[in-house]
Amino acid sequence: IIIVSQGSYHIWDLIEVGELRGKITKINALFTEIEELDGVIFNIPNVRFFEENVRNFHTNDKRRIDIEVVVWYETDIVHAKKVLQKVISNFPMVLQSPSSDVIIKDLWDKWVSLTLRFWIHSKENFITLKSNVTETVNLAFKQTNIKIPYPQVTLSGELK
């Protein structure tokens, strides 16, 4: 365990220091060894824990995942929100409390941006679960005929 001004860190905590993110694998008096999510090992001098902001993703026992989706402006938003909530209800790792929700993030000229927010235990595999939920949302939208907008280019002028 290393104790620094911003808190306590333990072996296997997932942390972020500057641009570096990974799990703590070793701690000694001079440095902390971090294994990035892709397996690369690097050492952080412990002084950086005093100098920089450190995010510890395991400090809290739960963590929120936000997934942004966009739908065409003509979409029945209430229906889209129900579809998103149904998707979440099929994942047992999603916590019941705090409850999940869907919020309208932005209204654009051709689409509406929604954010699906839900909580998991911080020890769950965040990246895999987010990917699985995103894939399931895509499939659920296709099955319920909810259209996701795609980039469009409008050409004007006369072609010769």
Side-chain angles (χ1 to χ4, degrees):
I1 185 171
I2 184 172
I3 301 175
V4 293
S5 64
Q6 297 179 12
S8 298
Y9 304 93
H10 303 87
I11 300 295
W12 302 120
D13 278 358
L14 177 62
I15 65 166
E16 183 177 88
V17 181
E19 298 294 319
L20 306 172
R21 180 185 287 193
K23 291 185 179 188
I24 296 174
T25 55
K26 189 186 301 180
I27 299 170
N28 69 31
L30 298 176
F31 69 88
T32 299
E33 183 179 274
I34 308 294
E35 181 179 339
E36 288 185 294
L37 301 177
D38 63 1
V40 174
I41 305 287
F42 60 91
N43 295 311
I44 297 177
N46 289 338
V47 69
R48 285 188 63 188
F49 286 85
F50 291 99
E51 297 173 344
E52 296 186 38
N53 291 327
V54 179
R55 296 175 71 189
N56 186 338
F57 296 97
H58 288 166
T59 301
N60 196 345
D61 66 336
K62 57 187 166 288
R63 184 171 178 196
R64 192 177 80 198
I65 296 178
D66 293 1
I67 298 176
E68 185 175 344
V69 296
V70 291
V71 296
W72 286 113
Y73 203 79
E74 296 80 22
T75 302
D76 178 346
I77 298 302
V78 173
H79 176 64
K81 288 172 131 183
K82 286 179 183 175
V83 169
L84 291 170
Q85 287 288 2
K86 184 168 190 219
V87 165
I88 286 303
S89 71
N90 290 317
F91 284 86
M93 311 82 142
V94 172
L95 300 176
Q96 298 300 311
S97 179
S99 61
S100 61
D101 62 358
V102 180
I103 61 169
I104 296 175
K105 182 178 178 199
D106 287 306
L107 299 173
W108 298 96
D109 59 342
K110 296 185 189 231
W111 62 78
V112 177
S113 175
L114 305 170
T115 303
L116 170 60
R117 305 184 312 177
F118 57 95
W119 292 85
I120 62 170
H121 288 290
S122 61
K123 302 291 183 186
E124 294 285 344
N125 189 329
F126 179 90
I127 294 170
T128 300
L129 184 58
K130 183 174 182 177
S131 176
N132 290 343
V133 170
T134 302
E135 180 180 2
T136 306
V137 165
N138 186 40
L139 293 171
F141 276 8
K142 286 179 181 178
Q143 290 172 351
T144 57
N145 216 19
I146 295 174
K147 304 289 185 215
I148 297 173
Y150 49 88
Q152 295 179 331
V153 176
T154 305
L155 300 175
S156 61
E158 190 176 310
L159 296 175
K160 295 182 181 187

